[in-house]
Amino acid sequence: MKRQFSTGLLAILLLCTSCVRPNKTNPSRLDLIQKRGELKCGVSGKIPGFSFLNSDGQYQGIDVDICKAMAAAILGDGKKVIYRPLTAPERFTALKTGEVDLLSRNTTFNLSRDAIGGNGVTFGPVIFHDGQGLMVKKRSGIEKIDELINSNICVGSGTTTEQNLNDTFQELNIPYTPIKYQDLNQVIAGYLQGRCKAMTSDISQLAASRSSFPNPDGHIILKKVISKEPLAPASIDGDPLLSDAVRWIIYALIAAEEFGISQNNIDQKLIEAKSNPNFVSIRRFLGIDGDLGNKLGIANDFVVKIIRSTGNYGEIYNRHLGPTSRVPIPRGLNKSYKDGGLLIAPPLK
Amino acid sequence: MRRLKKITIQCIIGIIFLSIISLFINNLLINISRSGMEFSFSWLNQTAGFALAETSIPYQPSDSYSWALLTGWINSLKVIIYSLILATIIGTIAAISRISSNILLQKIASLYVAIARQIPLLLQLMFWYFVAFLNLSSTPLKLFDSLILISKEGISLFGLELTVEFTALIVGLSIFTGAAIAEVIRGGINSVGKGQWEAYRSLGIQDYLGLRRVILPQALPAIIPGLTSQYLNLAKNSTLAIAVGYSDLYAVSDTSITQTGRAIEGFIVLLISFLLLNLLITNTMEIFNKLIMRYNHHE
């Protein structure tokens, strides 16, 4: 008995000491994606306009197009994406364990999530400036937040939404009861069934879910925006090769709009730039001159590949959230800085 | 020689077992060091910052994560105890109905067991919450001279205030587990020899008394182990509470984990808490079992 025990102990000691050294030559996930030939992208899959299954069983939305742009830049083909629908609580774990390469899932960029002592992921540039709001039924007559005193409010658990709600109501000294569900669809069901007077989420999500209600006009989103919600894609910490690629692929989408380069005119612009050596910045941007793409470890003409696949940021926005889309959300803060918005790309030099 | 062989085989099995476990631990440690996270439980003392709809002990968002988790744990315990009692009552009634001579009772009980066992629990909970309870009117339905009030805002039983989430969860869990318990009890009763039934009947003892004094004491030793395992299932199934908006231990951990980013530590706390809950149930049932054995011996 004693001998068996000590043998076992020896075995476990040997095994532990021999391999608890982390792999020193940690390959970048960028190489891994290129080797695999496919990009694994974590999305929500439940928010129209951001990521949603269309009637053909294909994911579509602004978050989905970010995945496509990434795949186009890294692999040369925007279709080489495997989508993984993730719930809010599982998203960071999925990213950290390598289940997905990129998290493009309406995720708010904040300190705790970025920091090593928090969720420890690395965020790309903001792709959508959102804010949290509250939606109520029109016939309730509620117009201001303080009219929600002592009400039930439906909220999704495991999100910043829950914290913001609490912070706001605590600061305003309004007592309330949160009814928490794990899933946005349950939040909607709870709200529509009348369990709560109001439901809260990012305004984009409120608008998106309202669009699928039986009677969208019967619900109003309160004017007061209770938080900043800059939504950004995220990649794993400690992988600068991948996070740099994510950052500049998104800046390229924004810069393309600044340059006026779109899916329709990309071929024409390419011919113009090739024949005219004076178009210095556009030639560099499109990879005719210089080595911008090579510096990132991806194709030198990655911008051309992205634009062919998804178009520039403005085109992506209009396709999914524009006035003629199913989920119209005014562009507001998400306009280019040239039009008075917040989107600006540092120079691609 | 044979003894040596036996020891060697045991050693090999032991080493394989330990290797698998150390492989897991090793993998975990590598992944933790790769993602640059230190293993730490200090977040338990930080401010939770989220509100809970239902609490049995005083709780405020300014309390710590550990206090929030304790609140969740007590909420879980409350659901488990209520459902355990209700499920046992439902199960016993259904089991007795199934072996009774009344054909109508028999059929109703078999139908109940069949339906409750064949529909996934999550669906049943969603049904009770979103379809049954949330479709109630906002103005309370008054029963027995206002002793029972039922509305979508909550249920009031003789002055005891229950929320719809809690009630839907208890009803769903009890009906689901009650069916399984009915089968365990029926199995136990059927294990008692037919002669025993004939014996008390030939003495002119009524069925109710015979069941209580002759059949059940003999059936209980066969029922208790099965019952314990159903109770443990019920405790584990109570984590589905999050689907119907009830703040149980799992729901609280879920929020804590996403806010702090401490998935591994959070799950360790969750595992230990559930182990405690289930050990509590197992030990109580063990004591109960011993009491019955002793009682049977004395008789």
Side-chain angles (χ1 to χ4, degrees):
Chain A
M1 189 57 213
K2 210 173 178 181
R3 200 166 67 190
Q4 264 170 286
F5 180 71
S6 45
T7 321
L9 205 67
L10 193 70
I12 204 166
L13 270 174
L14 273 174
L15 274 156
C16 280
T17 46
S18 62
C19 27
V20 184
R21 248 174 271 132
N23 206 346
K24 268 181 192 156
T25 51
N26 243 337
S28 167
R29 287 200 79 85
L30 197 60
D31 299 331
L32 197 73
I33 297 164
Q34 279 160 344
K35 229 173 269 167
R36 195 195 298 132
E38 263 165 335
L39 173 80
K40 287 197 251 174
C41 214
V43 295
S44 152
K46 283 178 181 152
I47 308 165
F50 285 79
S51 57
F52 198 69
L53 272 178
N54 67 9
S55 47
D56 306 330
Q58 304 290 322
Y59 279 106
Q60 64 176 38
I62 186 165
D63 281 343
V64 171
D65 276 1
I66 297 297
C67 300
K68 287 183 182 163
M70 286 284 298
I74 299 172
L75 301 164
D77 184 352
K79 290 192 195 80
K80 289 188 175 164
V81 187
I82 308 173
Y83 297 100
R84 288 274 154 80
L86 299 171
T87 65
E90 67 194 16
R91 59 186 153 180
F92 295 114
T93 315
L95 185 63
K96 296 194 86 168
T97 53
E99 177 75 17
V100 294
D101 304 313
L102 181 77
L103 190 67
S104 181
R105 192 203 172 282
N106 52 286
T107 300
T108 303
F109 181 2
N110 69 23
L111 187 146
S112 298
R113 287 174 170 179
D114 195 27
I116 216 86
N119 295 88
V121 301
T122 296
F123 283 93
V126 175
I127 60 144
F128 190 89
H129 290 274
D130 208 341
Q132 186 176 334
L134 289 140
M135 182 155 69
V136 295
K137 295 191 177 86
K138 206 179 237 168
R139 64 179 151 76
S140 71
I142 292 171
E143 280 171 357
K144 282 194 202 122
I145 250 183
D146 39 349
E147 289 168 59
L148 283 169
I149 187 159
N150 291 326
S151 304
N152 294 330
I153 297 175
C154 287
V155 57
S157 82
T159 58
T160 45
T161 322
E162 201 183 324
Q163 259 177 318
N164 295 333
L165 180 72
N166 191 68
D167 292 355
T168 311
F169 279 66
Q170 206 174 331
E171 274 159 27
L172 297 171
N173 206 5
I174 306 172
Y176 76 104
T177 308
I179 308 287
K180 296 180 201 181
Y181 304 95
Q182 202 175 19
D183 190 299
L184 182 67
N185 285 336
Q186 288 161 0
V187 175
I188 295 168
Y191 165 72
L192 285 181
Q193 294 274 37
R195 180 67 181 110
C196 312
K197 262 200 186 138
M199 71 175 265
T200 182
S201 192
D202 292 354
I203 289 174
S204 62
Q205 289 190 31
L206 292 178
S209 42
R210 185 172 58 175
S211 71
S212 53
F213 284 179
N215 171 24
D217 296 333
H219 304 267
I220 55 164
I221 297 171
L222 298 185
K223 284 219 175 70
K224 167 115 177 151
V225 178
I226 65 173
S227 74
K228 289 183 280 193
E229 301 292 332
L231 308 182
S235 61
I236 198 163
D237 232 2
D239 191 342
L241 233 59
L242 180 65
S243 51
D244 282 353
V246 173
R247 181 172 311 125
W248 290 100
I249 288 165
I250 289 161
Y251 281 143
L253 290 170
I254 298 170
E257 192 183 14
E258 292 169 9
F259 278 122
I261 300 174
S262 67
Q263 214 167 8
N264 286 331
N265 67 15
I266 176 76
D267 290 314
Q268 189 200 332
K269 289 268 179 190
L270 205 55
I271 293 165
E272 276 173 25
K274 271 183 182 160
S275 59
N276 194 338
N278 292 335
F279 288 3
V280 195
S281 49
I282 290 203
R283 280 172 70 96
R284 201 186 298 121
F285 185 57
L286 297 178
I288 300 164
D289 290 338
D291 55 355
L292 291 182
N294 292 340
K295 277 180 185 155
L296 287 173
I298 54 181
N300 208 35
D301 62 341
F302 74 101
V303 175
V304 179
K305 293 192 162 121
I306 296 173
I307 302 304
R308 283 213 176 107
S309 167
T310 63
N312 64 36
Y313 179 85
E315 289 178 283
I316 294 176
Y317 192 100
N318 275 336
R319 195 177 307 137
H320 303 296
L321 304 170
T324 53
S325 70
R326 226 185 98 197
V327 193
I329 300 175
R331 238 181 114 172
L333 294 175
N334 298 298
K335 284 184 201 147
S336 168
Y337 76 102
K338 289 184 167 176
D339 306 320
L342 287 180
L343 291 192
I344 183 162
L348 277 88
K349 274 187 184 165
Chain B
M1 201 53 210
R2 270 189 63 174
R3 197 166 159 253
L4 190 69
K5 199 177 157 193
K6 223 173 159 182
I7 291 176
T8 319
I9 293 175
Q10 287 204 6
C11 277
I12 293 172
I13 294 174
I15 289 172
I16 293 174
F17 180 68
L18 286 173
S19 316
I20 294 172
I21 291 188
S22 42
L23 197 73
F24 284 140
I25 296 174
N26 182 43
N27 195 19
L28 180 72
L29 290 175
I30 286 185
N31 276 324
I32 289 177
S33 74
R34 186 180 287 165
S35 56
M37 288 189 66
E38 302 274 314
F39 207 65
S40 155
F41 284 95
S42 57
W43 54 275
L44 282 171
N45 293 326
Q46 290 165 10
T47 307
F50 55 83
L52 293 173
E54 256 188 277
T55 54
S56 306
I57 51 173
Y59 169 82
Q60 282 174 339
S62 53
D63 287 328
S64 66
Y65 279 111
S66 47
W67 193 255
L69 287 166
L70 182 68
T71 313
W73 194 78
I74 291 173
N75 276 352
S76 282
L77 194 66
K78 201 168 113 187
V79 164
I80 293 167
I81 291 172
Y82 273 72
S83 319
L84 206 137
I85 295 167
L86 195 59
T88 312
I89 296 171
I90 295 175
T92 312
I93 294 172
I96 292 171
S97 308
R98 280 197 81 172
I99 55 169
S100 82
S101 45
N102 185 327
I103 303 279
L104 181 68
L105 266 182
Q106 239 183 60
K107 293 288 169 204
I108 292 174
S110 345
L111 189 71
Y112 154 65
V113 171
I115 291 175
R117 286 210 306 179
Q118 281 160 33
I119 298 171
L121 177 58
L122 184 61
L123 277 185
Q124 293 193 30
L125 287 177
M126 298 262 200
F127 168 82
W128 286 111
Y129 182 62
F130 287 111
V131 181
F133 281 99
L134 287 191
N135 277 328
L136 291 170
S137 147
S138 295
T139 43
L141 183 74
K142 288 177 190 166
L143 294 174
F144 305 113
D145 199 21
S146 296
L147 276 175
I148 301 177
L149 300 172
I150 304 172
S151 78
K152 78 163 93 176
E153 311 295 329
I155 282 87
S156 165
L157 274 183
F158 314 108
L160 189 67
E161 300 286 337
L162 306 172
T163 62
V164 232
E165 285 80 21
F166 182 75
T167 318
L169 185 61
I170 297 221
V171 169
L173 278 175
S174 307
I175 287 181
F176 182 79
T177 317
I181 289 177
E183 287 301 275
V184 169
I185 295 178
R186 192 173 67 109
I189 291 175
N190 283 348
S191 74
V192 178
K194 216 175 164 189
Q196 297 289 323
W197 295 78
E198 286 159 358
Y200 81 74
R201 277 179 186 147
S202 70
L203 289 172
I205 296 173
Q206 296 245 310
D207 262 356
Y208 163 72
L209 200 64
L211 201 63
R212 210 180 64 141
R213 306 289 301 195
V214 180
I215 306 298
L216 274 184
Q218 297 181 69
L220 272 176
I223 291 173
I224 300 288
L227 206 57
T228 309
S229 108
Q230 288 310 324
Y231 287 167
L232 293 177
N233 278 345
L234 185 135
K236 287 177 277 186
N237 287 339
S238 72
T239 48
L240 289 170
I242 196 167
V244 294
Y246 180 72
S247 321
D248 76 329
L249 175 64
Y250 180 72
V252 176
S253 325
D254 196 50
T255 306
S256 309
I257 288 171
T258 22
Q259 288 193 3
T260 58
R262 297 280 174 189
I264 296 159
E265 294 91 330
F267 271 101
I268 290 174
V269 172
L270 196 58
L271 287 176
I272 293 173
S273 313
F274 264 97
L275 205 62
L276 280 178
L277 269 179
N278 276 352
L279 282 176
L280 202 70
I281 296 174
T282 316
N283 284 329
T284 314
M285 290 304 281
E286 195 67 34
I287 292 167
F288 189 53
N289 199 13
K290 280 202 181 119
L291 281 178
I292 285 172
M293 293 298 237
R294 195 175 298 162
Y295 178 78
N296 276 2
H297 272 289
H298 279 295
E299 282 212 331

